[in-house]
């Protein structure tokens, strides 16, 4: 049984948190022996290679045997150097072999570092008026005050809004609920073209960067931008000398069925942020990957990058990331994510036909979501007071499945969704099991809903 929660503050005051005793592959086991499928890949989209991987454990333990943290202002370490080489060799598009990396601890601080780099770069090339970062409504970039200012989930923003360096936002690329009430492709990608209007309204001389997730995770439950979107974004950013930052904190490392989420489009970002799946949850870790031409400016000016946290580039975290990435590449997990993702989407679409309350199924690879509706035709949603996605999460836990509840598809507050992101090692029969459990949970949810 769970001990009463007295001293530790958890993410909710209103529910019990079972204690997990061990985890293996795609499964978690609590102290009563109950098994759960890690269907959201941690909280969330983290556990890329599953739990208890011996290769990662061995790599981390042997590094710990040598040393863990060294004074980073005075020394470097071999795992950090090896990981830098690996990331540069695996970077997408024109970045491959043409970029450098900076290591950090979490997705939020990687995004903070990315906008610091953009700002410092423009100051150092003699364009100090460029400082603004444009984000997207229903985007999520982290929970630090700076990352939250770029994010666009109204429900999470309002309390802290007076403290943000607030960003201008453009509407999301979300065809199911298009902010412009248009239809793809006759819309000619108005959601992307809006970036140009906002840059011009803000004055291009003030805009340093645009940040977006290739597939929106926490805020929209696995929504990929439509074809052509990021090509248009790239074109606009280049036209106005605005750096394009791809937030690949969730989408990197095979999650979407390609090594990088942005590889679904023909567009190379100037800066990529990565976290979560890069170390698979074995150690807190993140990185930014940026064009050589950006770092060269700082280097030529002998100007150190003005960022950094005490635990950055921890040697144990770097060795974990090295082992995780090698495991992903050596075991064909990018391809597995693509194939199992297609199977998962197909299964969910069958459930969409069967159940009135599933309005949309979306995603890429093993970053997949579905959205609840009261009425499929009108796409009306359930009242937020019902907390439908949280209700679903509870039923799923009862049925041995961890899911990630998301809210706010309509306006950052209303609209319930579920995000699924099981470890990339998941097998065909395990996906079938996952789909069956979701079916069961939806049946139980439907019984609870007011008629
Ligand atoms: C796209 C994206 N960026 C950034 C973050 C923040 O990462 P972290 O929680 O590691 O700070 C998240 C977290 O969910 C995310 O989904």
């Amino acid at each position: 049984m769970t001990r009463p929660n007295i001293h530790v503050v958890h993410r909710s005051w209103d529910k019990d948190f079972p204690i997990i005793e061990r985890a293996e592959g795609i499964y978690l086991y609590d102290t009563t022996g109950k098994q759960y499928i890690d269907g959201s890949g941690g909280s969330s989209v983290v556990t890329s290679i599953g739990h208890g991987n011996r290769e990662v454990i061995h790599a981390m333990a042997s590094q710990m045997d040598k040393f863990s943290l060294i004074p980073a202002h005075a020394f470097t370490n071999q795992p950090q150097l090896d990981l830098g080489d690996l990331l540069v060799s695996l970077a997408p598009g024109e970045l491959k072999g043409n970029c450098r990396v900076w290591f950090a601890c979490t997705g939020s601080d990687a995004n903070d570092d990315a906008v610091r780099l953009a700002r410092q770069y423009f100051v150092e090339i003699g364009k100090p008026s460029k400082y603004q970062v444009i984000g997207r409504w229903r985007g999520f970039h982290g929970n630090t005050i700076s990352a939250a200012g770029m994010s666009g989930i109204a429900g999470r923003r309002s309390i802290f809004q007076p403290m943000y360096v607030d960003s201008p936002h453009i509407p999301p690329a979300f065809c199911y609920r298009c902010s412009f009430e248009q239809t793809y492709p006759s819309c000619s990608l108005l959601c992307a073209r809006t970036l140009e209007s906002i840059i011009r309204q803000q004055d291009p001389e003030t805009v340093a960067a645009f940040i977006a997730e290739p597939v929106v995770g926490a805020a929209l439950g696995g929504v990929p931008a439509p074809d052509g979107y990021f090509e248009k974004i790239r074109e606009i950013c280049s036209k106005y000398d605005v750096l394009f930052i791809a937030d690949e904190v969730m989408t990197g490392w095979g999650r979407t069925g390609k090594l990088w989420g942005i590889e679904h489009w023909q567009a190379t970002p100037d800066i990529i942020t990565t976290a979560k799946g890069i170390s698979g949850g074995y150690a807190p870790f993140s990185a930014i990957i940026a064009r050589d031409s950006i770092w060269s400016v700082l280097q030529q000016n002998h100007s150190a990058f003005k960022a950094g946290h005490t635990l950055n580039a921890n040697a144990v975290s770097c060795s974990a990331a090295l082992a995780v990435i090698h495991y992903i590449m050596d075991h064909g997990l990018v391809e597995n994510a693509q194939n199992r993702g297609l199977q998962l989407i197909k299964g969910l679409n069958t459930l969409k036909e069967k159940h009135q309350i599933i309005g949309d199924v979306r995603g890429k690879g093993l970053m997949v979501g579905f959205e609840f509706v009261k009425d499929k035709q009108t796409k009306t949603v359930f009242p937020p007071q019902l907390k439908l996605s949280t209700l679903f999460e509870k039923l799923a836990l009862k049925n041995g499945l961890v899911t990630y509840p998301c809210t706010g598809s309509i306006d950052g507050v209303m609209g319930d969704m579920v995000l699924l992101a099981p470890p990339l090692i998941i097998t065909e029969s395990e996906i079938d099991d996952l789909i069956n459990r979701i079916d069961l949970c939806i049946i139980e949810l439907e019984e609870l809903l007011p008629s």
Side-chain angles (χ1 to χ4, degrees):
M1 287 302 291
T2 312
R3 275 183 294 152
N5 170 15
I6 301 171
H7 296 133
V8 174
V9 178
H10 287 91
R11 292 189 186 191
S12 164
W13 301 108
D14 303 322
K15 65 179 188 189
D16 202 18
F17 287 82
I19 300 172
I20 292 298
E21 199 168 57
R22 69 188 180 88
E24 200 181 330
I26 67 158
Y27 297 107
L28 306 159
Y29 299 87
D30 73 16
T31 42
T32 69
K34 183 171 166 127
Q35 182 203 62
Y36 307 82
I37 297 178
D38 185 4
S40 56
S43 280
S44 53
V45 200
V46 182
T47 52
S48 44
I49 61 166
H51 301 272
N53 183 290
R54 301 312 306 172
E55 291 176 29
V56 182
I57 293 166
H58 176 72
M60 293 175 75
S62 26
Q63 180 54 46
M64 257 189 255
D65 221 27
K66 296 179 203 153
F67 62 87
S68 297
L69 186 76
I70 50 164
H73 64 281
F75 303 101
T76 186
N77 65 73
Q78 198 58 48
Q80 174 179 12
L81 298 175
D82 293 346
L83 186 57
D85 290 345
L86 186 62
L87 295 197
V88 170
S89 73
L90 294 175
E94 297 146 33
L95 284 175
K96 190 187 291 288
N98 188 26
C99 58
R100 291 181 226 181
V101 298
W102 167 268
F103 297 124
C105 301
T106 69
S108 305
D109 61 44
N111 283 328
D112 189 277
D113 288 346
V115 298
R116 278 171 184 262
L117 180 60
R119 169 69 183 156
Q120 191 173 341
Y121 164 75
F122 281 118
V123 169
E124 301 217 4
I125 61 167
K127 293 188 174 183
S129 60
K130 276 178 159 315
Y131 73 97
Q132 297 209 81
V133 180
I134 298 176
R136 295 191 300 179
W137 291 115
R138 260 87 85 220
F140 184 67
H141 304 294
N143 267 335
T144 57
I145 289 293
S146 117
M150 302 172 235
S151 301
I153 312 183
R156 294 196 194 188
R157 283 170 59 88
S158 47
I159 299 184
F160 303 104
Q161 188 138 357
M163 302 163 74
Y164 295 155
V165 177
D166 213 350
S167 286
H169 291 77
I170 61 169
F174 183 24
C175 297
Y176 180 64
R177 295 189 186 278
C178 175
S179 304
F180 304 96
E181 298 185 0
Q182 302 242 351
T183 308
Y184 179 84
S186 61
C187 60
S188 306
L189 292 165
L190 184 51
C191 54
R193 288 185 287 121
T194 300
L195 178 62
E196 178 157 21
S197 325
I198 202 156
I199 292 174
R200 291 171 68 92
Q201 282 160 17
Q202 296 292 323
D203 181 352
E205 290 312 309
T206 71
V207 181
F210 169 69
I211 185 165
E213 302 153 79
V215 179
V216 181
L220 281 181
V223 169
D227 288 350
Y229 179 86
F230 282 109
E231 288 84 348
K232 192 75 204 164
I233 292 289
R234 176 69 270 177
E235 184 191 317
I236 296 166
C237 286
S238 299
K239 181 171 172 190
Y240 292 98
D241 199 11
V242 167
L243 299 181
F244 167 31
I245 303 170
D247 179 343
E248 296 250 16
V249 165
M250 279 190 175
T251 50
W253 306 109
R255 173 54 64 186
T256 69
K258 291 198 186 274
L259 191 60
W260 299 97
I262 198 66
E263 288 178 311
H264 292 281
W265 295 266
Q266 301 297 314
T268 304
D270 299 294
I271 305 176
I272 288 179
T273 58
T274 170
K276 298 197 183 224
I278 189 174
S279 57
Y282 287 87
F285 192 66
S286 64
I288 67 173
I289 302 171
R291 279 184 197 278
D292 226 358
S293 54
I294 298 175
W295 293 115
S296 302
V297 170
L298 276 60
Q299 186 177 20
Q300 276 155 20
N301 291 346
H302 300 277
S303 181
F305 179 33
K306 294 180 179 47
H309 301 275
T310 308
L311 295 178
N312 279 10
N314 175 290
V316 179
S317 303
C318 290
S319 62
L322 273 169
V324 168
I325 296 169
H326 282 305
Y327 194 88
I328 291 172
M329 305 306 285
D330 294 349
H331 292 80
L333 295 190
V334 182
E335 198 188 356
N336 195 54
Q338 190 182 12
N339 295 335
R340 298 287 69 80
L342 289 173
Q343 182 193 352
L344 179 57
I345 291 184
K346 190 168 170 221
L348 291 175
N349 273 318
T350 308
L351 297 187
K352 180 178 148 195
E353 297 305 309
K354 177 176 170 190
H355 297 286
Q356 281 311 310
I357 61 170
I358 301 187
D360 189 43
V361 172
R362 63 263 193 143
K364 277 210 189 288
L366 281 172
M367 190 166 167
V368 171
F370 58 92
E371 179 159 350
F372 293 116
V373 286
K374 227 165 131 178
D375 183 315
K376 279 195 203 211
Q377 276 333 99
T378 60
K379 301 182 188 172
T380 41
V381 296
F382 290 91
Q385 305 84 279
L386 268 183
K387 294 190 186 320
L388 208 70
S389 48
T390 309
L391 209 55
F392 181 86
E393 183 207 2
K394 277 188 196 154
L395 291 171
L397 280 178
K398 178 176 79 64
N399 290 311
L401 172 66
V402 188
T403 58
Y404 192 76
C406 314
T407 49
S409 55
I410 291 199
D411 53 5
V413 181
M414 283 168 61
D416 288 279
M417 302 150 284
V418 174
L419 179 61
L420 298 167
L424 311 183
I425 53 167
I426 196 163
T427 63
E428 194 172 344
S429 59
E430 288 167 341
I431 288 277
D432 285 338
D433 182 14
L434 192 154
I435 293 166
N436 289 337
R437 292 190 203 204
I438 289 173
D439 190 16
L440 177 63
C441 298
I442 295 174
I443 293 169
E444 292 181 0
L445 182 66
E446 283 170 330
E447 282 164 8
L448 294 178
L449 289 175
S451 46

